């Protein structure tokens, strides 16, 4: 339809759309209208007026999640309904869209690095377009193991939960279980994004607040 | 994969790519690999080293060059050459092994990423060509006199030729000098031909004209005005524009 690379920009956060709606919109724009790029911008109010949406901190993390999902649509062969659906209308704050998808589809894992095809490799968290291509090139001559994957540029701290090399699971990972993997991936993500931690630091003395009588006892010295 | 014969010698060569190629010629038959290879200037004296001085033989290096291009592939030669431009020390041994192995395996060598010297050569190449790519965008020419443009750069790798050739295509009607201050070499183009040459230590850059100063101010103002305060992201900026290049950028002064 369009001759040149057309682009568009969506402002995120000023109106109440969910991430699902936004992602479906961009998928439609990519597939039907052959757009080159859809850009997302967190809404930053320029003026303060009662008719404008209220000023709150710009949803930068949400913008980031949308870009991550956008890449999954364009280069990784994902479809919008795989990433989000009516039950999950918004992206998970604590996990990137690909990890989130992988954890919801844990039955498809672990994937064998030495036999999986290109698009299956791309679905593994920690493996991107470049490292997937490198794996395909490198394994033509030799079978790969975990150490070599790391050298090829695979992000092992994410990928190690989802792969086997020559039938072997990564030896330092204890369990292939959802709760265990989620916990580890979330703590990685916290470090990257400095996400707030919701629990309160517990102190020994919180539990042992002395009663009034105890304080009196301390002063008088009687037990 | 091969029975490399690691010999206890240090090769001193002239530091040119053709010097490396003539060593490929000599080492090919016996697979002899020295423990170290460097130029006379880079060599740090060690009483235990056995030194061998290598003369660059143009005939031999020419044969290696043609052999690789004809029997292996041009991209293998290109990989080796770009990797050779890298500023890293001890790059030579990996490239030497890579080229010898390329003769034996053919174009397949570029896929054998699980061999350490192949991966190392690929990394060197990626590092050098990525820096060249970055500099193509970051070089800022200053007008020093009538229709004479000058730009200092401080690259880690010896990429002045790649960057210079880019600007010959891009600005064919301008006279310009690219100055690699880390190596003190320059790329000079006079609208007809280009040359890479040493820079005399006494080189003095004339003071900028009023017009040039005006343009520099305009550029700085543009850079400040275009920025959106709420969206500053220092970490991302530094990924695209690492701090080591800031001293050559007008807008970061």
């Amino acid at each position: 339809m369009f001759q040149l690379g057309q682009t568009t920009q969506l402002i995120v956060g000023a109106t109440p759309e969910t991430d699902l709606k936004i992602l479906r919109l961009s998928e439609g724009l990519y597939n039907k209208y052959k757009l080159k790029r859809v850009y997302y911008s967190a809404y930053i109010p320029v003026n303060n007026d009662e008719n404008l949406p209220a000023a709150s901190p710009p949803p930068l993390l949400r913008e980031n999640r949308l870009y991550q999902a956008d890449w999954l649509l364009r280069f990784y062969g994902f479809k919008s309904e795989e990433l989000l659906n009516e039950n999950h209308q918004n992206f998970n704050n604590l996990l990137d869209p690909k990890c989130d998808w992988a954890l919801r589809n844990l039955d498809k894992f672990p994937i064998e690095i030495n036999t999986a095809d290109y698009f299956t490799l791309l679905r593994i968290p920690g493996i991107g377009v470049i490292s997937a291509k490198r794996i395909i090139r490198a394994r033509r001559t030799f079978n790969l193991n975990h150490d070599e994957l790391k050298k090829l540029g695979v992000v092992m701290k994410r990928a190690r939960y989802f792969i086997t090399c020559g039938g072997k699971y990564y030896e330092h990972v204890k369990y292939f279980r959802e709760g265990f993997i989620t916990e580890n991936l979330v703590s990685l993500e916290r470090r990257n994004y400095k996400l707030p931690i919701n629990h309160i630091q517990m102190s020994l003395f919180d539990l042992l607040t002395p009663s009034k009588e105890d304080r009196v006892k301390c002063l008088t010295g009687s037990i | 994969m091969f029975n490399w014969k690691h010999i206890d010698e240090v090769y001193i060569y002239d530091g040119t790519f053709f010097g490396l190629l003539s060593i490929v010629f000599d080492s090919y038959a016996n697979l002899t690999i020295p423990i170290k290879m460097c130029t006379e200037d880079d060599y740090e004296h060690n009483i235990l080293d056995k030194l061998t001085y290598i003369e660059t033989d143009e005939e031999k290096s020419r044969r290696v060059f043609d052999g690789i291009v004809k029997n292996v592939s041009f991209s293998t030669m290109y990989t080796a050459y770009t990797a050779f431009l890298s500023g890293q020390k001890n790059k030579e041994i990996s490239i030497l092994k890579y080229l010898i192995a390329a003769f034996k395996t053919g174009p397949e060598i570029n896929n054998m990423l699980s061999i350490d010297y192949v991966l190392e050569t690929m990394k060197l190449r990626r590092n050098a060509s990525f820096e060249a790519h970055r500099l193509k965008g970051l070089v800022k020419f200053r007008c020093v006199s009538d229709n004479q443009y000058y730009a200092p750069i401080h690259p880690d790798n010896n990429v002045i030729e790649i960057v210079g050739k880019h600007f010959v295509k891009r600005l064919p009607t301008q006279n310009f000098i690219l100055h690699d201050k880390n190596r003190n070499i320059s790329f000079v183009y006079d609208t007809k031909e280009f040359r890479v040459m040493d820079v005399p230590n006494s080189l003095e850059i004339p003071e900028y004209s009023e017009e040039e100063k005006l343009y520099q101010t305009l550029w700085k103002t543009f850079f400040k005005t275009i920025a959106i305060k709420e969206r500053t992201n220092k970490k991302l900026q530094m990924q695209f524009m690492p701090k080591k290049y800031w001293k050559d950028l007008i807008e970061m002064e």
Side-chain angles (χ1 to χ4, degrees), chain A residues 63 137-138 140-142, chain B residues 108 110-111 114 119 126 231:
Chain A
E63 176 190 309
R137 267 171 72 187
R140 273 187 218 153
T141 43
F142 303 107
Chain B
E108 262 306 279
N110 290 339
N111 293 333
S114 47
L119 193 69
R126 189 159 14 113
R231 302 191 60 95

Side-chain angles (χ1 to χ4, degrees), chain A residues 20 24 81 83-91 104:
Chain A
L20 175 65
R24 275 193 188 151
E81 62 258 33
L83 299 171
L84 294 172
N85 52 41
E86 299 303 329
N87 300 328
H88 297 86
Q89 299 219 0
N90 286 312
F91 288 116
R104 275 187 276 121

Side-chain angles (χ1 to χ4, degrees), chain A residues 147-159:
Chain A
D147 290 340
E148 283 157 357
L149 284 185
K150 197 180 165 101
K151 280 191 217 151
L152 291 183
V154 173
V155 185
M156 283 307 274
K157 57 185 176 181
R158 264 193 276 280

Side-chain angles (χ1 to χ4, degrees), chain B residues 132-149:
Chain B
H133 166 75
R134 232 178 204 158
L135 284 173
K136 284 173 195 171
L138 289 175
V139 167
K140 300 278 180 285
F141 287 102
R142 292 104 161 125
C143 186
V144 281
S145 62
D146 248 11
N147 203 19
Q148 288 281 349
Y149 290 86

